[in-house]
Amino acid sequence: MNEVRRLLPDLRSASGPASPERLAERGFDQALTKAWAMSSQAIIDEVTASGIKGRGGAAFPTGLKWSSVNKAEGQTKYVVMNADESELGTFKDRVLLEEDPLGALVGLLIAAHAVGARKAFCYIRGEYREVEQMLAKAIDTLTQLGWAGPGRIDVEIRRGAGAYIAGEETALFNSIEGKRPEPRVKPPFPTNKGLWGSPTLIQNVETLANVAILFAHDAQWFAEYGTKATAGTKLVALSGHIQRPGVYEVPFGMALADILNAPDLGGGVAGSGRLRAVLLGGAAGTFLSPDEVAQSQLDYASLGAFGASIGSGAVMVFDDTVDLQWVLTKLARFFADESCGQCVPCRIGTQRIWEIAEKGGLWTRTEDLRELGQAMRDASICGLGQTAPLALLSILDRPGLRQDV
Amino acid sequence: MGNSVTLQIDGQPVTVAQGTTLRAACDEANHAVPTLCWHENLTPANACRACVVEVKGSRTLVASCSRVAEDGMEVQTASERVLNARKVVAELLLSTSDASLAPDLLSLADTSGANPDRFGGGATWQQPVREDNNLYIRDLSKCILCYRCVEACGDDAQNTFAIAVAGRGFGAHIDAGFGRDLPESDCVYCGNCVAVCPTGALIGKTEWDLRSQGQWDESKITQTETVCSYCGVGCELDLHVMDNRIVKVTSPADHPVTHGMLCVKGRYGYEFAQSEERTD
Ligand SMILES: Cc1cc2nc3c(=O)[nH]c(=O)nc-3n(C[C@H](O)[C@H](O)[C@H](O)COP(=O)(O)O)c2cc1C
Ligand code: SF4
Ligand code: SF4
Ligand code: SF4
Ligand code: FES
């Protein structure tokens, strides 16, 4: 057995995902009781000790972020659960919220308690209507049990309206404030000036679920899985040419090849059965060749050696019949569609990459694409424009992947 | 220390007052950086990215128009990455918009060594001129989406909020709400958006007409300084006169009362001064 179930609930559980029974069964009521008896600093120390890093893509140390918000000046503070999940090939927050919405919410309440926030928002992708209902039920449960609600920590759901960029933290704040979801310039960082200019802690769904299981147990239990550098487990979303697509929870450090091939995980490459490449981290991710896949583990250092990152945990698999030029054209179109349009390198750059791709120029105009890509990485305001050329650049750096079919 | 910070710009130490932006610090060090969207009286929009500089320790380049100088910063205004970003920004804008009345963009293109055709041949912002009122024209084929007009119309000056950016990505554009003509919008024709537009995308109707007829001639224009006679605020007006006719009214950006902003009367209510029916 390679699959772990910690963030995801035990398959044998018969309780409703949003029910009080589930809260008790998962130890989340104890987690809340324990955290409420602790000082802010003790909670933050525990999160820091666990080594949890953000699961939304950037892998920022979670304890450090909590500590910054806790120290920031301000009467009013906010916490936000980022459930906008719009990255291509990423559908793990959806599964997590459907199967165990109380986990992420308990993490959110502990976060609010630790940094002194009285108001929490859950920003959820607009298309996730059923997920939203499940989340609302879980909020009701926590309100009835006295953990959430007005006078305690008020939790409000806000729905996105179909823009990938609204998942970027500062664009998300603007969206909650009723403005266009245009990212803001950093600094100032959200930890100092977030929602309505107040210190704000924003975390991905999976990050918060990690906090909940950490407090339901302890740092030692948490570190039973994973590597020395990165304790715990990660949700990965397998899609494309894979026998068993879906969301799986695996320990950090697992070989990528095992994730693809283990019978209880990916079950092997589908289609022709021969791997051409894996796109790791979604549209803004990096292509890995079969050789690189064979040498990599699911950990930041191992993947960093190949210029890749775990990102959101999206693993898209392509067999050797796939023309990667076609894939890159689709990715380019995605970014051109989803750019907010605020800054020049991204507004026009994403359009030009898409046009060059449509005209079949990806393998010939490499010099222009590299300079354009570099300018986008360097000079775009936010992560969208900064990462939009990465998948393309990763293929330009791997001529072996470029053979045309 | 105290109320000043010391940083290095291209290896040279510079001391500036706390709160000074990198752009202003670079200016003081005589290593000026190019800007397109920045305007002295508006909040930085951070949109054009022409002003980026390299700051040691920062993963990406940094927009100098908005970033505040910090003690010990090491800034490079002409590193390879900076020069590449500037050039690409100019090339991307030139591939999209008509720069014929945009001196800042043309000069950026020139100094950065941009090749205007490199990213050309694709979609552009070429579109019909919106000529829907007697006071100013919207020729958005020239727009570079610098946000200056939106800020001038909003809380940086006018507080009317008649225009905003609509659409997204390459389709983002300046809009008076649902694509409306200006007379149907909230616009009060103060012309402050026109005054700050760096590209001629917003342009006075008189100037537009004269340019269309090939009669606009900068060398024939003289400026006369006066004070607006409509009310008691005391806004300074610069009357731009060509062939003994007022063709445009502006106010100096550094004027303590106006900061370059006027109302519809001062900006456009000048015909009476040259009316044949005047009885003075
Ligand atoms: C274009 C863009 C889209 C993003 N979308 C999401 C998203 O859907 N969900 C998410 O958790 N983080 C998203 N992020 C990352 C957030 O900005 C932020 O880093 C994250 O929510 C922080 O939480 P974490 O530290 O728990 O990962 C996005 C970033 C960018 C640049
Ligand atoms: S990088 Fe793209 S998405 Fe981000 S602010 Fe600029 S235009 Fe908008
Ligand atoms: S003329 Fe004045 S009110 Fe009208 S759009 Fe321009 S700034 Fe706004
Ligand atoms: S119309 Fe002029 S001021 Fe407004 S965004 Fe376009 S170029 Fe800038
Ligand atoms: S002048 Fe700084 S971003 Fe435009």
Side-chain angles (χ1 to χ4, degrees):
Chain A
M1 279 297 274
N2 293 299
E3 196 191 358
V4 183
R5 288 191 82 89
R6 284 189 157 190
L7 294 164
L8 295 172
D10 195 320
L11 284 170
R12 287 159 304 190
S13 170
S15 58
S19 64
E21 297 74 45
R22 176 67 68 87
L23 192 76
E25 195 182 299
R26 297 277 280 148
F28 292 150
D29 53 350
Q30 284 167 33
L32 286 165
T33 309
K34 180 160 113 193
W36 251 249
M38 290 164 77
S39 68
S40 291
Q41 196 52 52
I43 296 177
I44 292 168
D45 289 346
E46 179 79 356
V47 173
T48 307
S50 75
I52 297 174
K53 294 194 186 85
R55 306 288 201 248
F60 189 83
T62 302
L64 193 56
K65 212 196 267 188
W66 289 32
S67 169
S68 305
V69 178
N70 189 41
K71 284 192 203 127
E73 302 270 343
Q75 283 273 306
T76 308
K77 294 180 183 177
Y78 298 99
V79 293
V80 181
M81 177 199 296
N82 190 343
D84 195 48
E85 190 164 68
S86 310
E87 181 65 55
L88 295 191
T90 307
F91 36 94
K92 45 106 185 166
D93 293 340
R94 171 185 181 165
V95 169
L96 199 47
L97 287 176
E98 276 172 353
E99 294 192 9
D100 205 46
L102 289 162
L105 279 172
V106 165
L108 186 70
L109 293 177
I110 294 175
H113 181 67
V115 302
R118 312 284 295 173
K119 176 88 194 175
F121 289 94
C122 300
Y123 191 92
I124 187 162
R125 178 176 175 150
E127 292 89 340
Y128 282 2
R129 289 302 167 96
E130 284 90 6
V131 188
E132 185 193 323
Q133 282 166 11
M134 187 58 90
L135 189 64
K137 257 169 94 177
I139 294 172
D140 279 351
T141 300
L142 289 164
T143 306
Q144 269 156 30
L145 293 172
W147 292 110
R152 310 277 298 186
I153 295 160
D154 195 26
V155 186
E156 192 179 324
I157 297 180
R158 290 294 178 96
R159 205 183 281 150
Y164 168 60
I165 191 58
E168 194 281 338
E169 52 197 14
T170 58
L172 188 152
F173 299 152
N174 279 339
S175 175
I176 290 181
E177 291 178 23
K179 303 177 185 145
R180 263 173 79 79
E182 285 181 350
R184 304 173 184 170
V185 167
K186 295 185 251 188
F189 291 97
T191 46
N192 280 310
K193 282 192 183 347
L195 271 173
W196 292 288
S198 295
T200 303
L201 177 66
I202 177 163
Q203 305 280 191
N204 173 255
V205 173
E206 186 186 343
T207 313
L208 294 171
N210 270 288
V211 170
I213 60 168
L214 170 67
F215 279 82
H217 301 268
D218 56 34
Q220 200 189 338
W221 173 90
F222 190 80
E224 279 169 11
Y225 285 104
T227 65
K228 234 186 182 146
T230 319
T233 56
K234 176 80 192 86
L235 297 180
V236 291
L238 303 186
S239 63
H241 285 124
I242 189 82
Q243 295 290 354
R244 304 178 70 233
V247 173
Y248 300 95
E249 183 174 351
V250 298
F252 277 104
M254 179 177 268
L256 279 195
D258 288 343
I259 295 177
L260 297 187
N261 297 319
D264 63 335
L265 299 171
V269 176
S272 73
R274 289 178 306 269
L275 184 65
R276 150 93 22 118
V278 167
L279 177 57
L280 207 62
T286 305
F287 280 98
L288 292 181
S289 68
D291 274 354
E292 291 169 320
V293 170
Q295 294 168 46
S296 315
Q297 288 93 44
L298 189 76
D299 206 351
Y300 298 100
S302 165
L303 291 167
F306 299 111
S309 185
I310 297 170
S312 58
V315 180
M316 291 196 226
V317 185
F318 301 99
D319 78 5
D320 66 353
T321 67
V322 177
D323 176 4
L324 292 182
Q325 216 172 159
W326 175 82
V327 178
L328 286 171
T329 309
K330 296 278 179 203
L331 297 181
R333 167 146 190 217
F334 170 76
F335 284 116
D337 269 351
E338 297 296 342
S339 161
C340 83
Q342 192 178 198
C343 65
V344 171
C346 171
R347 173 176 77 245
I348 309 179
T350 53
Q351 172 76 18
R352 297 296 175 241
I353 292 181
W354 179 34
E355 287 168 354
I356 291 171
E358 284 280 346
K359 288 184 192 148
L362 288 180
W363 297 170
T364 50
R365 295 189 58 189
T366 49
E367 170 100 3
D368 292 342
L369 287 168
R370 277 184 192 279
E371 285 187 21
L372 173 56
Q374 190 62 40
M376 291 168 72
R377 291 180 70 169
D378 279 341
S380 295
I381 294 179
C382 85
L384 191 151
Q386 288 161 12
T387 59
L390 291 191
L392 168 62
L393 294 173
S394 74
I395 289 203
L396 296 185
D397 288 339
R398 292 168 174 75
L401 291 181
R402 259 195 258 164
Q403 71 253 36
D404 297 303
V405 196
Chain B
M1 279 301 289
N3 293 328
S4 64
V5 296
T6 300
L7 66 162
Q8 292 222 345
I9 294 177
D10 297 329
Q12 167 191 334
V14 186
T15 302
V16 293
Q18 207 146 41
T20 305
T21 61
L22 289 180
R23 184 205 61 78
C26 290
D27 248 6
E28 267 183 53
N30 281 321
H31 285 230
V33 289
T35 58
L36 295 176
C37 64
W38 175 81
H39 182 280
E40 58 190 303
N41 295 331
L42 300 173
T43 313
N46 280 298
C48 74
R49 318 306 283 176
C51 70
V52 287
V53 294
E54 190 162 343
V55 175
K56 194 170 172 191
S58 171
R59 182 176 51 89
T60 61
L61 301 178
V62 164
S64 64
C65 64
S66 60
R67 184 63 170 269
V68 171
E70 291 165 29
D71 238 346
M73 265 185 172
E74 291 178 38
V75 177
Q76 282 184 279
T77 65
S79 68
E80 201 182 315
R81 287 167 72 194
V82 170
L83 296 179
N84 177 62
R86 264 183 215 159
K87 180 174 74 155
V88 169
V89 162
E91 288 171 336
L92 291 173
L93 284 171
L94 293 171
S95 73
T96 305
S97 310
D98 164 9
S100 56
L101 293 184
D104 294 346
L105 175 52
L106 290 173
S107 120
L108 176 70
D110 193 38
T111 54
S112 67
N115 168 4
D117 300 323
R118 182 146 75 135
F119 296 108
T124 70
W125 277 10
Q126 187 60 45
Q127 58 190 290
V129 175
R130 301 281 299 255
E131 202 170 349
D132 53 24
N133 70 85
N134 291 327
L135 301 179
Y136 80 94
I137 300 299
R138 291 180 289 166
D139 181 10
L140 296 179
S141 307
K142 296 196 175 77
C143 177
I144 58 168
L145 211 69
C146 70
Y147 284 66
R148 281 189 189 179
C149 54
V150 176
E151 302 198 319
C153 189
D155 52 16
D156 274 351
Q158 181 58 22
N159 282 298
T160 295
F161 304 95
I163 49 176
V165 173
R168 63 195 207 181
F170 198 76
H173 61 281
I174 299 298
D175 191 77
F178 314 104
R180 288 180 296 199
D181 283 345
L182 285 170
E184 272 79 59
S185 76
D186 294 334
C187 175
V188 297
Y189 303 102
C190 63
N192 290 329
C193 52
V194 181
V196 296
C197 178
T199 63
L202 307 177
I203 188 167
K205 168 102 163 109
T206 310
E207 177 173 351
W208 169 261
D209 286 344
L210 288 167
R211 282 187 185 275
S212 312
Q213 295 152 15
Q215 288 178 30
W216 185 265
D217 183 352
E218 297 276 354
S219 69
K220 287 206 294 190
I221 296 178
T222 55
Q223 284 191 36
T224 304
E225 187 183 310
T226 183
V227 174
C228 183
S229 57
Y230 277 105
C231 78
V233 169
C235 297
E236 180 178 323
L237 302 183
D238 285 337
L239 306 178
H240 301 236
V241 178
M242 189 174 90
D243 298 332
N244 216 19
R245 185 183 158 203
I246 301 170
V247 291
K248 175 155 87 178
V249 177
T250 58
S251 185
D254 60 358
H255 190 261
V257 174
T258 67
H259 302 289
M261 308 296 171
L262 293 169
C263 78
V264 59
K265 292 174 282 182
R267 173 106 45 211
Y268 293 118
Y270 53 74
E271 280 302 330
F272 78 96
Q274 51 205 15
S275 168
E276 297 287 333
E277 289 155 39
R278 245 173 81 144
T279 55
D280 58 344

